[in-house]
Amino acid sequence: MSTEVSTNLPPHPEKATLEGKNKVLGFWLFLGGEVILFGSLFATFIALRTAFGSGPASQELFSLPLTAVATFILLTSSLFSVLGIQAMHRNDLSGVLKWFGITVLFGLAFLGLEIYEFFEYVHEGHTMSSGAFGSAFYTLVGFHGAHVLGGVCWITGLLSKLPKKGLNVVTAPKLYVASLYWHFIDLVWVFIFTVVYLMGKVG
Amino acid sequence: MTAHANHSEENKSLRPQEGPKRHIITFIVSIFLTALAFFAVAYMPESPFVIPFIVLIGLIQAGFQLYVWMHLDQKGHEFPTLGIWMGVFFVAAFIIVFIYWLGGY
């Protein structure tokens, strides 16, 4: 039975079963909650973004090239996860592994940049306790970074099982939901680079 | 499961006609808009229009993510759309309350 399912993948395998449908809907509900979570962190950050305390001001702190590179990496990884889902719709297992694998690598590159960035900031006196700006900054950007790390672990876990389990109506919703999560992380980053970095640079 | 096997030919024709083209175009436009936002801040930081401009670009990009990449534009996404817009409504309320009502910092 399992071989039959895997060779005859339905057109929309992520929603071919009731369980798959419910999984996708449930995940959207989770994303609705995430919108509120990040929204409240954004509101806090916007309200406190000029309370520099003893730390440096955002205009001198932020480096636009570093943020631009991080943004490019994350936007590109979002494209790769879409290509991974399209490979899944074509029942192309090696394509799924390739595109989601690259997505994970780009996610790791983004995390590396973020860790380097935080190290630099701490050396410049911008810490969690240097002022309300510092607290709000690390809470918001750190929460996003933790989501990226979560996504990297999640997708890696799915990919490690995929060669054995294959593409079917059980594994397809899992991949689809992981790609939704990855796009959502990217969506949050769009607002982080706009509100935190670009608006911080403008002052 | 036998039903699946019987309909496999039919399924092929129902398979979504999607190509990477739409997503690659969206991606290029996204990168272009991002570059535009960075250039605006790098070269015109004094302009009073720069913040509304980059926020507008951010909102357009968020729309791309939701409606193109996450397929909110497809049928059967009424509940997700409702959920996300409810979230946006609350977030807008948070931001207004934190900044304009409580006065910010």
Side-chain angles (χ1 to χ4, degrees):
Chain A
M1 185 176 139
S2 62
T3 52
E4 197 176 65
V5 172
S6 64
T7 49
N8 293 312
L9 204 63
H12 280 287
E14 70 273 7
K15 288 175 191 167
T17 60
L18 182 62
E19 190 193 337
K21 270 187 197 134
N22 287 344
K23 210 169 249 176
V24 172
L25 178 63
F27 198 78
W28 274 105
L29 296 180
F30 166 72
L31 288 183
E34 292 272 280
V35 169
I36 307 271
L37 168 75
F38 277 105
S40 50
L41 292 176
F42 270 109
T44 311
F45 178 83
I46 295 170
L48 299 173
R49 70 195 188 94
T50 52
F52 302 123
S54 62
S58 59
Q59 287 90 331
E60 8 182 303
L61 190 68
F62 293 150
S63 136
L64 283 186
L66 186 74
T67 312
V69 172
T71 304
F72 183 75
I73 289 175
L74 212 59
L75 280 177
T76 313
S77 76
S78 208
L79 174 72
F80 290 144
S81 74
V82 161
L83 296 177
I85 290 300
Q86 293 193 339
M88 180 186 90
H89 284 156
R90 289 194 307 271
N91 203 359
D92 170 11
L93 178 61
S94 64
V96 171
L97 291 172
K98 178 178 77 182
W99 292 120
F100 274 104
I102 300 176
T103 305
V104 166
L105 288 181
F106 271 58
L108 286 172
F110 175 86
L111 279 176
L113 270 185
E114 187 148 278
I115 291 167
Y116 163 78
E117 186 194 356
F118 282 9
F119 261 115
E120 287 292 305
Y121 288 167
V122 170
H123 279 296
E124 291 174 41
H126 174 57
T127 66
M128 191 84 182
S129 52
S130 62
F133 165 64
S135 315
F137 172 86
Y138 284 111
T139 312
L140 172 59
V141 183
F143 242 101
H144 175 267
H147 274 75
V148 175
L149 181 63
V152 162
C153 296
W154 180 7
I155 298 176
T156 308
L158 287 181
L159 291 185
S160 70
K161 288 281 186 183
L162 210 55
K164 208 175 128 197
K165 293 192 170 176
L167 291 173
N168 53 48
V169 290
V170 178
T171 52
K174 301 185 184 195
L175 286 168
Y176 186 80
V177 152
S179 92
L180 282 184
Y181 180 77
W182 198 260
H183 292 313
F184 182 78
I185 288 175
D186 200 15
L187 192 160
V188 173
W189 180 257
V190 166
F191 285 110
I192 290 186
F193 86 72
T194 304
V195 171
V196 177
Y197 291 95
L198 293 183
M199 278 167 66
K201 206 69 187 169
V202 174
Chain B
M1 282 307 123
T2 48
H4 266 161
N6 291 341
H7 287 298
S8 65
E9 281 307 305
E10 198 181 313
N11 280 346
K12 252 182 206 134
S13 60
L14 284 174
R15 213 164 272 276
Q17 292 295 312
E18 57 177 13
K21 203 176 150 196
R22 184 164 175 249
H23 293 111
I24 286 172
I25 290 170
T26 315
F27 173 71
I28 291 169
V29 175
S30 257
I31 292 291
F32 175 74
L33 288 177
T34 308
L36 215 58
F38 274 93
F39 279 120
V41 171
Y43 294 107
M44 300 179 282
E46 309 297 327
S47 165
F49 298 112
V50 71
I51 287 183
F53 179 67
I54 60 177
V55 169
L56 180 70
I57 283 181
L59 291 175
I60 294 172
Q61 292 225 52
F64 276 162
Q65 290 283 339
L66 284 168
Y67 283 91
V68 179
W69 306 76
M70 296 165 83
H71 309 299
L72 266 194
D73 57 340
Q74 290 176 4
K75 263 196 278 178
H77 281 80
E78 293 78 14
F79 263 115
T81 308
L82 181 71
I84 292 295
W85 282 103
M86 283 287 281
V88 170
F89 170 78
F90 275 104
V91 170
F94 289 158
I95 291 175
I96 290 165
V97 167
F98 279 36
I99 295 157
Y100 295 103
W101 189 15
L102 299 179
Y105 173 68

